Amino acid sequence: MSKMRVVQVSEAKGPFELVERDIPEPGHGSVRIKVEACGICHSDSFTKEGTFPGIRYPRVPGHEVAGIIDQAGEDVTGWTQGQRVAVGWHGGHCGYCDSCRRGDFILCRISRQTTGITYDGGYADYMIAPAGALALIPDELSAVEAGPLVCAGVTTFNSLRNSGARAGDLVAILGVGGLGHLAVQFAAKMGFKTVAIARGADKEPLARQLGAAHYIDSQKQDAAAELTKMGGARVILATVTNGKAMSAVLGGLGVDGKLIVLGAPAEPLEVVAGLLIGGRRSIAGWPSGASIDSQDTLRFSALSGVRSMNEVFPLERAADAYELMMSGKARFRVVLSTS
Ligand SMILES: NC(=O)c1ccc[n+]([C@@H]2O[C@H](COP(=O)([O-])OP(=O)(O)OC[C@H]3O[C@@H](n4cnc5c(N)ncnc54)[C@H](OP(=O)(O)O)[C@@H]3O)[C@@H](O)[C@H]2O)c1
Ligand SMILES: [Zn+2]
């Protein structure tokens, strides 16, 4: 049997290991993907550190996968060999529970699958994915461009398009990392008055290039006060990994303003009740999106010119690539390439 390379983690907090495995066969309802590229998301730390409940090891991380269908399994209709596809965080669903029947696949209650968590992901030459997890990649996008768009991209695009903000509204993006640098672009292209908030001055020129009308250096300025001066934000999209940083901007929400929590800090948020009550402000979370949302994100990006800025590493250097992402020094996404 032919072999492939995968980068796996054998136990929680264990190192990345480059190993050879047999190329797997796609089962009922699944396809085998020849992986071309896979973005490295901060959420891969759930697999690496074992902080997501119920992970079984060894596990191959990676949920920003782009490649080509290499073989379709039994009973797969509508997807064929040779199609260019991407797989994000949402790795499949049952299709018949209450949530799925409402089209809310991301909240499937019966058999919700998570790529790189409940099954092996894209730090590999090949992977198996359920057909329901596939998004079609438009011709305009390369695999390296498409990968980050199906987690960092769909999470920010989908939360913004469902946020209730309307063109012209003040929308702030807290954190300019993998998610944040795409959020700034989506917000600007959707017609929001876009404010980028990050630590330090060095990200300002890049944030402005990506479409931010204003930049707030949270180390020098009080971001909440600055947003209030601008009239208060309709939405603050929080992409940071730090709870204190999220709590600190709440005062910058305008009337009916909403903090949308995307980043997943371990520590709790702190909020003054009066702030929420007085101005009908709210805090909500948002979980990425289903495969059709990923496909919408890819199409919107192809159409509008939104692109992830990527630093590309070969698959065998996954450990270095992951370290660069975790260091916060990547500008802005790190992507593994198998070629
Ligand atoms: N909701 C979802 O569905 C979803 C999907 C994907 C990822 N996530 C989560 O979103 C978060 C971001 O992921 P990512 O891949 O974009 O990560 P990333 O590229 O590593 O970016 C991390 C961001 O966090 C900020 N940050 C880090 N340490 C900080 C601190 N001490 N104080 C303030 N800000 C700090 C950085 O802010 P600066 O720009 O100021 O440096 C940077 O913008 C992670 O928690 C990830 O698990 C959630
Ligand atoms: Zn992710």
Coordinates of all heavy atoms in Angstrom, one line a residue, residues 15 19 39 50 57 87 102 106 120-121 130 134 153 180 197 200 204 247-248 284 293 309-310 325 338:
P15 N 5.0 16.5 21.4 CA 5.6 17.2 20.3 C 4.9 16.8 19.0 O 4.2 15.8 18.9 CB 7.0 16.7 20.3 CG 7.0 15.3 20.9 CD 5.9 15.4 21.9
V19 N 5.4 11.4 10.7 CA 5.4 9.9 10.5 C 4.8 9.5 9.2 O 4.1 10.3 8.5 CB 4.6 9.2 11.7 CG1 5.2 9.5 13.0 CG2 3.2 9.6 11.7
G39 N -3.7 25.8 6.5 CA -3.3 26.9 7.4 C -3.2 26.4 8.9 O -3.8 25.4 9.2
G50 N -4.3 19.5 24.2 CA -5.3 18.6 24.7 C -6.4 19.4 25.5 O -7.0 18.9 26.4
Y57 N -5.9 10.4 20.8 CA -4.6 10.5 20.2 C -4.1 9.1 19.7 O -4.6 8.1 20.3 CB -3.6 11.1 21.3 CG -3.9 12.5 21.6 CD1 -4.7 12.8 22.7 CD2 -3.4 13.6 20.8 CE1 -5.0 14.2 23.0 CE2 -3.7 14.9 21.1 CZ -4.5 15.2 22.2 OH -4.8 16.5 22.5
V87 N -11.7 22.3 3.5 CA -12.4 21.8 4.7 C -12.0 22.7 5.9 O -10.8 22.8 6.1 CB -12.0 20.3 5.0 CG1 -12.8 19.8 6.2 CG2 -12.3 19.4 3.8
R102 N -33.0 22.8 10.7 CA -33.1 24.3 10.5 C -32.0 24.9 9.7 O -31.9 26.1 9.5 CB -33.0 24.9 11.9 CG -34.3 25.2 12.6 CD -34.2 26.0 13.8 NE -34.8 25.4 14.9 CZ -34.3 24.7 15.9 NH1 -33.0 24.7 16.0 NH2 -35.0 24.1 16.8
I106 N -23.8 23.8 12.0 CA -22.7 24.1 12.9 C -23.1 23.7 14.4 O -22.2 23.4 15.2 CB -22.2 25.5 12.9 CG1 -20.8 25.7 13.5 CG2 -23.2 26.5 13.4 CD1 -19.7 25.4 12.7
D120 N -8.8 13.1 11.9 CA -7.5 13.6 11.5 C -7.7 14.7 10.4 O -8.5 14.6 9.5 CB -6.6 12.5 10.9 CG -6.1 11.7 12.1 OD1 -6.0 12.2 13.2 OD2 -5.8 10.5 11.8
G121 N -6.9 15.8 10.6 CA -7.0 17.0 9.7 C -5.9 17.1 8.7 O -5.4 16.0 8.2
P130 N -15.9 13.9 5.4 CA -17.3 13.7 4.9 C -17.7 14.7 3.8 O -17.2 15.8 3.9 CB -18.1 14.0 6.2 CG -17.2 14.0 7.3 CD -15.9 14.4 6.8
L134 N -17.4 19.7 2.7 CA -16.6 20.2 1.6 C -17.1 21.5 1.1 O -18.3 21.7 1.0 CB -16.6 19.2 0.4 CG -16.1 17.8 0.7 CD1 -16.2 16.9 -0.6 CD2 -14.6 17.8 1.2
G153 N -11.1 32.9 7.9 CA -11.9 33.6 7.0 C -13.4 33.5 7.3 O -14.1 34.5 7.5
G180 N -7.9 38.4 12.7 CA -8.1 39.8 12.7 C -7.8 40.5 11.4 O -8.5 41.4 10.9
I197 N -7.9 47.5 16.1 CA -7.2 47.7 17.5 C -6.2 46.6 17.7 O -6.5 45.4 17.6 CB -8.3 47.6 18.6 CG1 -9.5 48.5 18.3 CG2 -7.7 47.9 20.0 CD1 -10.7 48.3 19.3
G200 N 0.7 47.9 20.0 CA 1.9 48.5 19.4 C 1.6 49.2 18.1 O 0.5 49.1 17.5
E204 N 0.1 49.2 12.4 CA -0.7 50.3 11.9 C -0.7 50.4 10.4 O -1.8 50.3 9.7 CB -0.4 51.6 12.5 CG -1.3 52.7 11.9 CD -1.3 54.0 12.6 OE1 -0.7 54.2 13.7 OE2 -2.0 54.9 12.1
S247 N -12.4 42.5 27.8 CA -13.2 43.2 28.8 C -12.9 44.7 28.7 O -13.7 45.6 28.9 CB -12.8 42.8 30.2 OG -13.0 41.4 30.3
A248 N -11.6 45.1 28.3 CA -11.2 46.5 28.3 C -11.9 47.3 27.2 O -11.9 48.5 27.3 CB -9.7 46.5 28.1
A284 N -21.9 38.4 22.6 CA -22.4 37.1 22.0 C -21.1 36.4 21.5 O -20.1 37.0 21.2 CB -23.3 37.4 20.9
D293 N -21.1 28.1 4.4 CA -20.6 29.4 4.8 C -19.1 29.6 4.3 O -18.7 30.7 3.9 CB -20.7 29.6 6.3 CG -22.1 29.4 6.8 OD1 -23.0 30.1 6.3 OD2 -22.3 28.6 7.7
M309 N -2.8 37.2 4.2 CA -1.3 37.3 4.0 C -0.6 36.1 4.7 O -0.8 35.9 5.9 CB -0.8 38.6 4.7 CG -1.2 39.9 3.9 SD -0.8 41.4 4.7 CE 1.0 41.3 4.7
N310 N 0.1 35.4 3.9 CA 0.6 34.1 4.4 C 2.1 34.0 4.4 O 2.8 34.5 3.6 CB 0.1 33.0 3.5 CG -1.5 32.9 3.6 OD1 -2.0 33.1 4.6 ND2 -2.1 32.6 2.5
M325 N 3.4 30.9 14.6 CA 2.0 31.3 14.8 C 1.8 31.7 16.3 O 1.3 32.7 16.7 CB 1.0 30.2 14.4 CG -0.5 30.6 14.6 SD -1.1 30.3 16.2 CE -0.9 28.6 16.5
T338 N 2.3 21.1 1.0 CA 2.8 19.7 0.8 C 3.7 19.6 -0.4 O 4.3 18.5 -0.6 CB 1.6 18.7 0.7 OG1 0.8 19.1 -0.4 CG2 0.7 18.6 1.9

